[in-house]
Amino acid sequence: GEIDFENVQLAEGAVMKENVKYTFKNVNSGLYLEVADGAAAAGTNVQQGAASQAEAKNTWQLKADSNGYYYIYSTLGDGKTYLLDLDYGKTDNGTNIGIYTNTNASAQLFKFSKNSDGSYVILTKNSKDRSCVEVGSAKTENGANIQQWEVNGHKCQSWIVEEVTEQTTQPPTEEAGKLIYGDVNCDESVDIADAVITKLYIINPSKYNLSK
């Protein structure tokens, strides 16, 4: 039969979760996609940065559009205002990537294409999936710029997508005998007492110690 080029699926888009927060770790540098200085303002640059933990500047939430594309929201501010944004929706190599308020434009739509090793290439809709989100010049230092470039298979274009788990307690150590996650008072059951202790710990960590 005839091939319908209008509806050719350009790249296979992975189905991503929308109800979790993600961090994106660059395969080449081991650093994370982050908003420069954690500044919640339209036009702030996006770069890579070292992260000891997930925080608002380097965590993102996805919202599906259609045909496998997603809006990538920064969790800065109220988490609903700033999106990963391709400058003026340009298709050129080297087009800068920052955050901006919602423009309802394809410059803010991205597709996650899964690699064989489980990492992802983040494709830009404006380039018709020909280009992607990368660390400029494959740099490995803190603060290196994030930009758009034609897909070429380099590791600086691949990202490890990690779900952020909201943890209040330290994971128990192996020598603790019987391990029950969430059992902070070590009575071998998870109940309201654990919740109370955890809450007190969050309010005043120096006074209340959680069991390791």
Side-chain angles (χ1 to χ4, degrees):
E2 289 278 308
I3 296 173
D4 179 3
F5 284 105
E6 283 300 298
N7 293 310
V8 166
Q9 205 48 33
L10 298 163
E12 188 60 42
V15 177
M16 311 297 286
K17 295 182 190 173
E18 295 179 69
N19 58 346
V20 300
K21 291 175 183 170
Y22 287 118
T23 56
F24 302 123
K25 182 180 185 176
N26 191 260
V27 171
N28 185 57
S29 67
L31 302 182
Y32 290 84
L33 188 74
E34 69 168 27
V35 178
D37 304 319
T44 304
N45 195 37
V46 168
Q47 60 184 30
Q48 68 177 1
S52 53
Q53 60 188 37
E55 48 188 305
K57 71 177 180 178
N58 61 26
T59 55
W60 308 84
Q61 203 150 5
L62 306 180
K63 185 168 179 279
D65 180 46
S66 59
N67 301 323
Y69 293 99
Y70 289 87
Y71 293 99
I72 304 178
Y73 281 87
S74 167
T75 60
L76 285 169
D78 62 3
K80 296 192 280 277
T81 303
Y82 302 106
L83 297 97
L84 199 66
D85 178 272
L86 191 60
D87 270 11
Y88 301 105
K90 291 190 292 196
T91 54
D92 322 35
N93 279 345
T95 299
N96 195 47
I97 289 172
I99 56 167
Y100 210 79
T101 48
N102 194 335
T103 57
N104 289 311
S106 55
Q108 295 177 340
L109 286 171
F110 301 87
K111 185 188 281 181
F112 290 79
S113 177
K114 197 164 191 175
N115 297 318
S116 56
D117 65 358
S119 63
Y120 293 84
V121 176
I122 305 174
L123 304 166
T124 58
K125 185 174 184 184
N126 265 39
S127 72
K128 296 190 165 59
D129 297 356
R130 284 194 294 266
S131 298
C132 64
V133 177
E134 71 158 24
V135 177
S137 307
K139 290 182 178 171
T140 52
E141 68 265 22
N142 224 346
N145 194 41
I146 302 297
Q147 63 179 18
Q148 169 178 260
W149 201 269
E150 214 169 337
V151 176
N152 58 23
H154 194 285
K155 284 181 179 163
C156 71
Q157 298 186 338
S158 288
W159 301 87
I160 297 163
V161 176
E162 298 172 344
E163 280 185 38
V164 176
T165 50
E166 312 280 338
Q167 268 188 320
T168 51
T169 60
Q170 289 294 313
T173 52
E174 283 177 38
E175 63 269 17
K178 187 173 175 188
L179 300 183
I180 303 173
Y181 281 91
D183 176 21
V184 289
N185 62 0
C186 297
D187 64 357
E188 297 196 346
S189 70
V190 177
D191 51 29
I192 190 73
D194 297 302
V196 171
I197 295 167
T198 303
K199 191 173 178 189
L200 290 169
Y201 171 77
I202 291 165
I203 296 164
N204 191 348
S206 56
K207 190 172 172 191
Y208 293 91
N209 280 324
L210 293 184
S211 67
K212 286 282 192 286

